[in-house]
Amino acid sequence: MPEMEQAASNWLTHYDFSEDDGDNLEVLSTYTVSLYWSVMTFTTIGYGDIVPYTATERVFGIISMLLGALVFGYIIGAVGNVVQQRGAKENEFFASMQNL
């Protein structure tokens, strides 16, 4: 584990949080980076080559990812509801045909 802490490329060095001013890290920036990482991981979008560098870009990315996940979930739920209703109507039709 100590090798990872001294690695030249980690998220602290990538976002210019050096060890020298570790006590003076901006809490909001650290939480924004952490929230961006967690939302990116949660939505399984991936990390890609184009990444946000400013806090405004990260917040925009977080909102966009969450909005996209909500829209995707709504669409999947609506399609599932249509399939379920179709199956129910189909079952009702077959039941009425057996009663004849």
Side-chain angles (χ1 to χ4, degrees):
M1 197 68 157
E3 300 88 28
M4 292 182 75
E5 292 174 4
Q6 296 175 1
S9 178
N10 59 34
W11 75 275
L12 289 172
T13 58
H14 181 76
Y15 292 108
D16 290 330
F17 295 136
S18 65
E19 278 188 41
D20 297 334
D21 50 341
D23 294 334
N24 299 324
L25 290 178
E26 294 181 23
V27 175
L28 185 59
S29 294
T30 305
Y31 278 110
T32 305
V33 170
S34 301
L35 183 62
Y36 176 80
W37 176 84
S38 64
V39 170
M40 179 72 75
T41 303
F42 175 72
T43 56
T44 66
I45 290 175
Y47 302 103
D49 294 335
I50 300 172
V51 295
Y53 288 104
T54 65
T56 305
E57 292 172 346
R58 284 185 211 106
V59 170
F60 179 77
I62 290 167
I63 292 170
S64 299
M65 287 184 282
L66 290 175
L67 185 63
L70 287 172
V71 169
F72 180 75
Y74 177 78
I75 291 171
I76 295 298
V79 169
N81 191 23
V82 167
V83 169
Q84 180 185 14
Q85 287 179 357
R86 182 171 182 237
K89 288 181 181 179
E90 204 170 271
N91 289 340
E92 182 181 331
F93 172 75
F94 286 131
S96 66
M97 293 304 281
Q98 283 185 338
N99 289 338
L100 292 176

